[in-house]
């Protein structure tokens, strides 16, 4: 899986903020609509589900298949996208929260 | 097994553990998934099917994790250095990188190393890479001597040839986190040359160093600077005469 789509690259390049589920790699219009109907209207909700499933690939794939009927490729793309995003930003956000306590610098 | 719906969360969890299904917390969004898994497990349990594959994959992951560690260190110590030696071993390293490319997701944590995912893990990886750079900076002189002697033997044409190598080395230095794509590109450059024969390998060693400024210039500048400082020092106002003038 050495090639990643443009969507994937865009998603993992920055914090997801309020992006819609359609922004996830592998999730197009149809799947996005199905997810929204189930209540997963933003990408971070899917992220939440991903984390609750302990970032496990198999569980997440199964869940995605059950929830919106994604095929194998779409499952893989979405999983990979979220996985990479977590690797890049999950820890960073924790660090960011800690940094807020040092607003005036660590040496004061 | 409609009774699954009526069971409490705890019972579902117990059942999942009993069947050895890896699971996370039981929430309302995960519950249908786990119920479905339990149904499948119960159906399969009726048919005696040995399922060593989950264990086996786990074992294989373990094994591959171990091999990763052993492969990584030589790759990492040689890889980002960008001078001299790595190109001698560029081909086996490149095949290792291909292997790295194939399995990014199943083990991202031990894989602190380079990976093809373009922006992946800038923070976790930047630190070991920086420490590697320090290590690299410590060793250029120890390794520069064989390079230096090789350079003496090589004629000036190689310096003009080494310029494109520098250009490949430069983005390499500037962007540590976009390591793999650039390293793969920088590796892709010497491999066709290396393939041309063993005699060319020596030349590759000298031209492949990623130095922006040639080593002899660095030495020269250093010597000039040292000489200059020495000159200043010796010509400083001599403090032989005591600074305390007697008032007479």
């Amino acid at each position: 899986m050495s090639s990643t789509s443009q969507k994937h690259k865009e998603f993992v390049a920055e914090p997801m903020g309020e992006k819609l589920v359609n922004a996830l790699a592998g999730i197009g219009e149809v799947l996005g609509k199905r997810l929204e109907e189930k209540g997963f209207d933003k990408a971070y909700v899917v992220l939440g589900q991903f984390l609750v499933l302990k970032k496990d690939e198999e569980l997440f794939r199964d869940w995605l298949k059950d929830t919106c009927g994604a095929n194998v490729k779409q499952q893989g793309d979405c999983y990979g996208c979220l996985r990479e995003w977590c690797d890049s930003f999950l820890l960073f956000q924790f660090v960011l929260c800690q940094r807020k306590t040092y607003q005036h610098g660590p040496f004061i | 097994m409609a009774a699954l719906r009526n069971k409490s969360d705890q019972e579902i969890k117990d059942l999942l553990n009993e069947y050895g299904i890896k699971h996370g917390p039981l929430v309302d969004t995960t519950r249908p998934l786990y119920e479905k898994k339990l149904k499948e497990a119960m159906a399969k349990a009726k048919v005696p099917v040995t399922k060593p594959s989950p264990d086996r994959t786990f074992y294989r992951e373990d094994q591959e994790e171990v091999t990763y560690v052993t492969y990584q260190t030589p790759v990492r110590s040689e890889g980002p250095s960008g001078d001299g030696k790595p190109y001698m071993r560029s081909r086996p390293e490149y095949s290792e990188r291909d292997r790295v490319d194939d399995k990014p997701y199943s083990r991202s944590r031990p894989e602190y190393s380079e990976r093809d995912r373009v922006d992946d893990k800038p923070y976790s990886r930047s630190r070991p890479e920086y420490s590697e750079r320090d290590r690299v900076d410590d060793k250029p002189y120890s390794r520069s001597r064989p390079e230096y002697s090789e350079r003496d033997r090589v004629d000036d044409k190689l310096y003009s040839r080494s310029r494109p190598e520098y250009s490949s080395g430069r983005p390499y230095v500037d962007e540590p986190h976009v390591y793999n794509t650039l390293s793969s590109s920088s590796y892709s450059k010497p491999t066709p040359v290396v393939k041309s024969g063993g005699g060319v390998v020596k030349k590759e060693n000298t031209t492949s160093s990623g130095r922006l400024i040639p080593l002899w210039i660095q030495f020269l500048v250093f010597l000039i600077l040292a000489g200059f400082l020495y000159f200043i020092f010796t010509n400083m106002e001599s403090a032989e005469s005591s600074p305390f003038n007697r008032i007479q």
Side-chain angles (χ1 to χ4, degrees):
Chain A
M1 262 237 267
S2 53
S3 64
T4 49
S5 66
Q6 186 61 31
K7 223 175 167 187
H8 174 106
K9 288 182 189 158
E10 281 176 4
F11 191 81
V12 299
E14 56 180 2
M16 62 173 78
E18 299 289 321
K19 285 185 188 170
L20 297 174
V21 264
N22 295 342
L24 285 165
I27 307 292
E29 273 205 41
V30 176
L31 295 183
K33 226 175 222 130
R34 290 184 196 159
L35 280 172
E36 281 172 23
E37 283 166 10
K38 295 266 172 90
F40 296 89
D41 53 346
K42 290 279 170 84
Y44 62 73
V45 188
V46 180
L47 171 72
Q49 183 68 12
F50 176 69
L51 296 175
V52 159
L53 291 170
K54 296 195 159 181
K55 304 197 232 174
D56 181 69
E57 179 164 9
E58 198 187 320
L59 286 176
F60 183 70
R61 280 181 179 251
D62 286 345
W63 174 82
L64 206 58
K65 190 170 77 168
D66 290 344
T67 312
C68 61
N71 63 29
V72 174
K73 181 177 187 311
Q74 291 163 330
Q75 295 163 18
D77 288 345
C78 190
Y79 169 78
C81 177
L82 282 172
R83 182 94 212 212
E84 243 184 79
W85 189 95
C86 284
D87 288 343
S88 301
F89 294 105
L90 206 56
L91 182 61
F92 176 64
Q93 284 191 334
F94 293 157
V95 172
L96 203 60
C97 291
Q98 286 173 14
R99 279 205 63 196
K100 279 189 182 166
T101 61
Y102 290 111
Q103 263 171 2
H104 39 260
F107 293 114
I108 296 178
Chain B
M1 295 290 165
L4 270 180
R5 289 279 165 86
N6 300 331
K7 290 209 199 292
S8 73
D9 286 351
Q10 190 55 46
E11 286 171 345
I12 300 267
K13 274 191 202 168
D14 292 338
L15 280 172
L16 283 168
N17 290 334
E18 196 186 306
Y19 284 99
I21 299 172
K22 224 169 48 154
H23 64 97
L26 204 66
V27 198
D28 48 353
T29 51
T30 58
R31 183 159 177 143
L33 177 69
Y34 293 140
E35 283 175 9
K36 195 186 106 181
K37 280 195 169 269
L38 274 177
K39 265 189 218 168
E40 290 171 3
M42 285 182 192
K44 271 194 189 155
K46 292 188 181 165
V47 183
V49 174
T50 56
K51 240 189 169 184
S53 40
D55 292 340
R56 199 172 288 167
T57 52
F58 192 72
Y59 179 69
R60 219 181 335 146
E61 272 183 52
D62 261 354
Q63 208 175 33
E64 286 188 1
E65 274 187 27
V66 171
T67 57
Y68 255 1
V69 169
T70 56
Y71 276 145
Q72 271 178 21
T73 39
V75 171
R76 281 170 67 194
S77 65
E78 295 298 340
S81 66
D83 39 287
K85 294 285 171 71
Y87 291 96
M88 287 273 288
R89 292 198 262 146
S90 63
R91 225 179 301 148
E93 282 186 6
Y94 198 59
S95 64
E96 280 168 36
R97 274 159 206 267
D98 285 341
R99 209 185 314 163
V100 174
D101 289 352
D102 289 343
K103 303 185 182 90
Y105 298 119
S106 49
R107 54 191 121 290
S108 66
R109 228 176 295 136
E111 242 188 69
Y112 272 146
S113 73
E114 58 291 315
R115 222 326 307 173
D116 147 27
R117 339 167 242 195
V118 176
D119 295 328
D120 60 336
K121 294 209 267 188
Y123 298 105
S124 59
R125 266 193 305 131
S126 59
R127 242 175 289 131
E129 283 206 10
Y130 282 136
S131 68
E132 279 173 16
R133 268 161 217 285
D134 289 340
R135 232 190 302 150
V136 167
D137 288 341
D138 289 342
K139 290 200 265 185
Y141 295 115
S142 63
R143 270 199 281 169
S144 65
R145 236 173 275 143
E147 278 186 18
Y148 200 68
S149 59
E150 282 175 356
R151 277 175 195 231
D152 288 341
R153 266 184 268 149
V154 166
D155 43 72
D156 289 346
K157 273 194 208 164
L158 284 173
Y159 283 123
S160 58
R161 229 186 351 141
S162 64
R163 291 294 163 75
E165 288 298 334
Y166 294 155
S167 66
S168 80
R170 199 191 297 163
Y172 198 64
V173 172
D174 287 347
E175 297 173 42
H177 62 278
V178 194
Y179 178 95
N180 208 2
T181 52
L182 287 173
S183 67
S184 58
S185 70
S186 69
Y187 272 101
S188 63
K189 272 185 202 165
T191 42
V193 184
V194 169
K195 278 182 191 162
S196 66
V200 190
V201 171
K202 201 196 272 185
K203 285 187 187 171
E204 267 308 315
N205 273 345
T206 57
T207 59
S208 60
S209 70
R211 290 185 204 281
L212 203 54
I213 307 170
L215 190 62
W216 64 274
I217 290 184
Q218 288 182 0
F219 268 138
L220 203 60
V221 168
F222 173 71
L223 284 173
I224 289 173
L225 205 67
F228 182 63
L229 287 173
Y230 181 70
F231 175 73
I232 291 177
F233 180 72
T234 50
N235 289 349
M236 262 178 3
E237 203 171 80
S238 58
E240 286 166 11
S241 60
S242 77
F244 302 110
N245 296 326
R246 274 210 196 138
I247 300 172
Q248 287 176 349

